[in-house]
Amino acid sequence: MDIISLQYGLLGLLRYRENTGYGLAKLFEVSINQMWNAPTSQIYRELKRMEEKGWVTSHTVIQENKPNKRVYRITEDGLGVFDDYMHNPGPMFQTYHDPFLLHVFFGAAAPDVVLERFKTFRDSCIRGLDERVKANQETIDAYKAARPDSGGEAMFWQMTHDYSIYNTNAHLQWAEECIKKLEEMVN
């Protein structure tokens, strides 16, 4: 996820409620991660930048027998920035640089290596469907149960989650078809 998109993702999550950097990272894992990945360290760096810009504020919560925690809250300026982002979206489904696809493109030079990469990719898709998809659905269901008056927010989470499922299934189908072709070629 690029830094600018990460800022909007964090602002969007902070719209729901104030949170710690760690809490945002965990929430990221079971929600936005189906679209973008951001390591916890990057999230903390962005929160600091966003606070410097006045988009978020933070306060420290003193805890006994635990380290103190910093809790972030979106500001009015941050809400305005997020609102501008939502009303002026950028291009959809931009192309990206994918090293795996480059390997596939030049696969005739090492078909056995590409076959193994496809098997790894297939296995990753299966794990994603088994683990991440289940966790994301549980998060959405828990949110719906906890906030039935959320104004349809869970429905939009569900739509992005469904996209992730369809996309992963399409990748899985593609990988299976390519594995079959490569196995016929290599054997």
Side-chain angles (χ1 to χ4, degrees):
M1 174 182 251
D2 61 50
I3 289 172
I4 297 201
S5 296
L6 177 57
Q7 291 175 351
Y8 297 129
L10 292 169
L11 288 171
L13 291 176
L14 287 170
R15 274 186 58 254
Y16 295 116
R17 66 178 172 88
E18 64 180 31
N19 212 329
T20 63
Y22 178 78
L24 286 165
K26 289 296 172 196
L27 186 54
F28 216 96
E29 284 179 20
V30 295
S31 62
I32 295 175
N33 194 42
Q34 59 188 310
M35 295 162 276
W36 287 301
N37 185 356
T40 303
S41 59
Q42 187 178 7
I43 289 172
Y44 279 109
R45 281 193 305 272
E46 278 315 299
L47 287 168
K48 182 179 180 186
R49 285 185 192 118
M50 292 164 56
E51 191 166 22
E52 290 168 357
K53 292 177 180 180
W55 297 354
V56 299
T57 60
S58 69
H59 64 279
T60 302
V61 175
I62 308 296
Q63 303 185 106
E64 289 186 34
N65 302 321
K66 292 183 193 177
N68 296 339
K69 63 182 179 180
R70 178 171 250 160
V71 178
Y72 294 87
R73 173 181 286 167
I74 192 168
T75 64
E76 287 298 319
D77 285 348
L79 286 168
V81 167
F82 186 77
D83 188 58
D84 287 346
Y85 165 74
M86 289 301 295
H87 287 89
N88 298 297
M92 294 190 291
F93 301 105
Q94 294 180 1
T95 59
Y96 55 94
H97 304 285
D98 188 323
F100 177 54
L101 288 177
L102 194 59
H103 275 95
V104 172
F105 186 81
F106 293 114
D112 54 330
V113 173
V114 175
L115 173 60
E116 290 308 311
R117 298 266 338 257
F118 264 112
K119 288 178 179 178
T120 301
F121 179 68
R122 175 201 57 204
D123 295 346
S124 173
C125 290
I126 292 169
R127 272 192 315 279
L129 287 170
D130 290 344
E131 298 166 8
R132 190 187 72 222
V133 168
K134 181 181 178 197
N136 288 348
Q137 188 62 56
E138 288 171 355
T139 300
I140 293 167
D141 293 343
Y143 185 77
K144 283 192 259 189
R147 295 191 56 193
D149 61 340
S150 66
E153 290 169 344
M155 179 185 73
F156 290 97
W157 281 26
Q158 186 70 53
M159 285 190 275
T160 57
H161 178 65
D162 292 345
Y163 170 80
S164 179
I165 293 169
Y166 293 131
N167 196 33
T168 302
N169 277 319
H171 283 143
L172 181 58
Q173 180 181 353
W174 174 66
E176 291 287 0
E177 291 171 6
C178 292
I179 288 168
K180 184 178 176 184
K181 291 175 186 174
L182 286 165
E183 285 177 337
E184 291 171 2
M185 176 186 197
V186 171
N187 294 328

